[in-house]
Amino acid sequence: MINPPPAFLSAAKDLLGPKGWTEDPEKLLAASTPWRGTFSGSTPFIARPASTEEAAALVKLCAAHRVAITPQGGNTGLVDGGTPHGEVCVSMTRMQAVREVDPFNNSMTMEAGATLVMAQETAENANRLFPLALGSQGTATLGGLISTNAGGVAVLRYGMMRDLILGLEVVLPSGEIWDGLSGLRKNNTGYDLKHLFAGAEGTLGLITAATLKLFPKVQRAAAWVVVATAEDVVKLLALVRDHAGDSVTSFEIIPANAVAMVVADVPGTRDPLPANAAWRVLIEISQPKAAQAEALLTDALEAGAEAGLVQDAAIAVSETQAKSFWHIRETIPLSKRAYGTALNQDISVPVSRIPAFIEACNANVRKIVPPADFVIFGHVGDGNLHYNLSQPDAADNAAFLASQPAVNRIVHDSVHALNGSISAEHGIGQLKREEILRYKSATEIGLMRTIRKAIDPAGLMNPGKLPGPR
Ligand SMILES: Cc1cc2nc3c(=O)[nH]c(=O)nc-3n(C[C@H](O)[C@H](O)[C@H](O)COP(=O)(O)OP(=O)(O)OC[C@H]3O[C@@H](n4cnc5c(N)ncnc54)[C@H](O)[C@@H]3O)c2cc1C
């Protein structure tokens, strides 16, 4: 770990005040330990600015002393993008204010350290919907969600985080503040700069606030559906959308073995429809009125059964039952962790190619990791699969983990051959920093490096994440 110069530390402490920084070893360790634990890091100092002005003064100070920064929100990222490796960690969790809610413009402006649940509740209090939803929503922050362009379970209808931002406020690596907060839907005045920062993983600046899109509130109907094959899952998606159009909000694929993992791990959970079939699908349809949503869902499932695509289905009869379906889906990552060791992938391919991808990839992966369980789940409506291999911890972990590079090659080459992406929603961070160089064209990587160098010539923003400048 490179210790920042003492002059920097004393100036930063003066600037931030006693609540604005810590050197407590436990907190430094927590900030350096990512959720998945892949690349544990280190940091000498956590700065916790309380306002945009304070954040800007801090970044200016870092620039003056050539001190590198790792921005951090909730530290729930899955590619080690928010893990410092000797850099000063700038935690945004003190900046959580709601600056404005404008229900008639369907927009709200909140600070970057607010969690996703806070954003959902702020919208709800204004009789509106902020639709992003994902398993880590109680901890993940708006700044982190924007910086990773997070997806989640409602992308099918509302898009990813990038699609949900109207404006941003960013402290640039120089310490200058870019006030791009705007509630406008139409603004054709040159480069749309906010999109540079969405998905930039903290490499271009520190996001301090965002203006977000709001939507009319909806009522939801959810169904748990048993399906025989991945091909039937894809056909069912098309059929349900034919019947319910854009009101299909979520279409999640869950394998039978993941349901078994959750049931074994989480007391009180049970398989809603035990069956021998390989797959379950969790479908959610939303409409202004609950009866409309239920009618559309019933109609679509009846058509699915007639077409031989639905083996069995349960439409939730209460909010509690719908929550119990979702609880199974959302608990898979934790139950998979309890089950044993996993090799994880977050990929996307065109929806139509999902069955071919699973079949070919499983056969090739099986050749090098014979005993592993395939735990393939995720946002099938977006073509996004969390393609994972798991095995109980009692087995030979070291050999299993050592197969990760070979598994990566098979999975990523298959994805690339189908015009897919090796990172659908989690980002690149440190985890896929080298891997991405194989799959993006030299032109694209070159453009990314040029942009990064232009905005952060000293290379102080989150070094070591995403492909860096040469
Ligand atoms: C159980 C679980 C389920 C998940 N499900 C999903 C899912 O369905 N879909 C999905 O997309 N992701 C999912 N994730 C991943 C994760 O929640 C997202 O990556 C989230 O967007 C990260 O937010 P964060 O505040 O925790 O950011 P962090 O992890 O702290 O940081 C993530 C990245 O953003 C940067 N960053 C953070 N704050 C700022 C800021 N203010 N300005 C500039 N850069 C910043 C960091 O440097 C880092 O590169 C899941 C994670 C978990 C643990």
Side-chain angles (χ1 to χ4, degrees):
M1 178 158 64
I2 307 153
N3 283 320
F8 164 81
L9 286 176
S10 73
K13 288 172 185 175
D14 284 349
L15 167 73
L16 297 163
K19 287 190 184 157
W21 61 273
T22 180
E23 291 174 325
D24 174 347
E26 263 183 41
K27 291 190 174 133
L28 298 181
L29 182 66
S32 309
T33 309
W35 193 83
R36 223 174 227 163
T38 341
F39 287 99
S40 263
S42 63
T43 182
F45 186 77
I46 300 176
R48 301 180 65 231
S51 68
T52 302
E53 291 67 33
E54 230 172 73
L58 174 76
V59 173
K60 216 170 249 172
L61 192 65
C62 289
H65 289 269
R66 299 188 72 79
V67 168
I69 291 172
T70 294
Q72 196 174 88
N75 198 15
T76 67
L78 297 175
V79 290
D80 300 336
T83 312
H85 290 270
E87 298 85 30
V88 161
C89 178
V90 180
S91 166
M92 298 303 291
T93 48
R94 277 176 88 207
M95 291 189 58
Q96 301 189 324
V98 178
R99 293 205 190 154
E100 187 191 28
V101 182
D102 185 346
F104 291 105
N105 191 50
N106 277 313
S107 62
M108 64 179 181
T109 300
M110 292 183 71
E111 290 186 343
T115 64
L116 178 51
V117 163
M118 288 176 191
Q120 292 164 345
E121 286 173 357
T122 304
E124 170 84 26
N125 292 339
N127 199 29
R128 291 290 183 272
L129 169 74
F130 183 65
L132 197 81
L134 40 80
S136 55
Q137 61 195 23
T139 312
T141 63
L142 294 176
L145 294 157
I146 295 165
S147 298
T148 58
N149 185 25
V153 295
V155 172
L156 196 55
R157 176 154 184 190
Y158 296 102
M160 295 182 69
M161 191 65 187
R162 181 189 299 284
D163 303 305
L164 301 174
I165 54 176
L166 291 169
L168 291 182
E169 179 187 81
V170 182
V171 174
L172 300 174
S174 60
E176 197 182 342
I177 300 169
W178 172 53
D179 180 355
L181 292 174
S182 152
L184 297 177
R185 258 102 181 147
K186 286 189 161 180
N187 180 9
N188 268 348
T189 51
Y191 302 132
D192 199 342
L193 294 177
K194 63 180 180 283
H195 288 308
L196 266 185
F197 298 94
E201 300 187 29
T203 60
L204 301 182
L206 198 58
I207 297 169
T208 46
T211 304
L212 304 170
K213 286 183 192 169
L214 296 177
F215 294 83
K217 274 171 66 173
V218 285
Q219 304 292 324
R220 300 163 196 272
W224 183 269
V225 187
V226 178
V227 182
T229 64
E231 213 164 350
D232 285 354
V233 171
V234 167
K235 285 183 183 160
L236 183 62
L237 170 65
L239 183 145
V240 172
R241 295 191 95 186
D242 283 348
H243 279 259
D246 280 347
S247 66
V248 186
T249 312
S250 305
F251 201 94
E252 298 286 305
I253 191 170
I254 302 165
N257 62 356
V259 181
M261 279 178 191
V262 172
V263 171
D265 178 45
V266 185
T269 48
R270 61 178 190 86
D271 186 345
L273 290 173
N276 281 330
W279 300 101
R280 310 290 181 268
V281 178
L282 178 49
I283 305 175
E284 196 168 88
I285 284 180
S286 48
Q287 282 282 304
K289 296 214 164 26
Q292 296 167 325
E294 271 164 36
L296 278 172
L297 188 52
T298 308
D299 184 35
L301 289 177
E302 277 172 9
E306 260 171 46
L309 302 172
V310 170
Q311 297 216 332
D312 200 356
I315 295 182
V317 291
S318 63
E319 187 67 22
T320 312
Q321 194 180 16
K323 278 189 181 149
S324 74
F325 294 168
W326 275 109
H327 187 55
I328 295 175
R329 163 63 186 89
E330 278 158 6
T331 318
I332 296 171
L334 286 172
S335 295
K336 185 166 61 68
R337 211 146 87 156
Y339 175 78
T341 305
L343 307 179
N344 303 304
Q345 307 279 351
D346 163 44
I347 60 92
S348 61
V349 294
V351 174
S352 53
R353 314 306 295 273
I354 281 175
F357 166 78
I358 293 177
E359 195 182 331
C361 221
N362 284 10
N364 289 328
V365 168
R366 182 61 83 211
K367 287 178 199 155
I368 56 167
V369 203
D373 301 308
F374 293 98
V375 187
I376 304 166
F377 66 96
H379 320 296
V380 72
D382 315 323
N384 176 192
L385 296 177
H386 300 311
Y387 184 94
N388 306 304
L389 301 181
S390 287
Q391 72 170 26
D393 272 332
D396 182 357
N397 276 349
F400 181 58
L401 288 170
S403 64
Q404 175 87 67
V407 171
N408 282 354
R409 192 59 52 246
I410 290 172
V411 176
H412 294 166
D413 281 356
S414 307
V415 162
H416 190 61
L418 295 169
N419 279 327
S421 167
I422 68 162
S423 185
E425 61 174 9
H426 295 161
I428 296 299
Q430 193 183 341
L431 195 65
K432 295 183 181 170
R433 186 172 185 248
E434 300 304 320
E435 196 69 1
I436 195 67
L437 300 176
R438 293 179 71 95
Y439 298 105
K440 274 195 191 286
S441 70
T443 308
E444 200 170 348
I445 294 287
L447 272 173
M448 285 169 70
R449 286 184 162 137
T450 304
I451 290 167
R452 188 164 178 178
K453 200 156 189 177
I455 295 179
D456 181 23
L460 295 178
M461 290 302 301
N462 218 2
K465 320 292 164 47
L466 284 176
R470 284 197 190 283

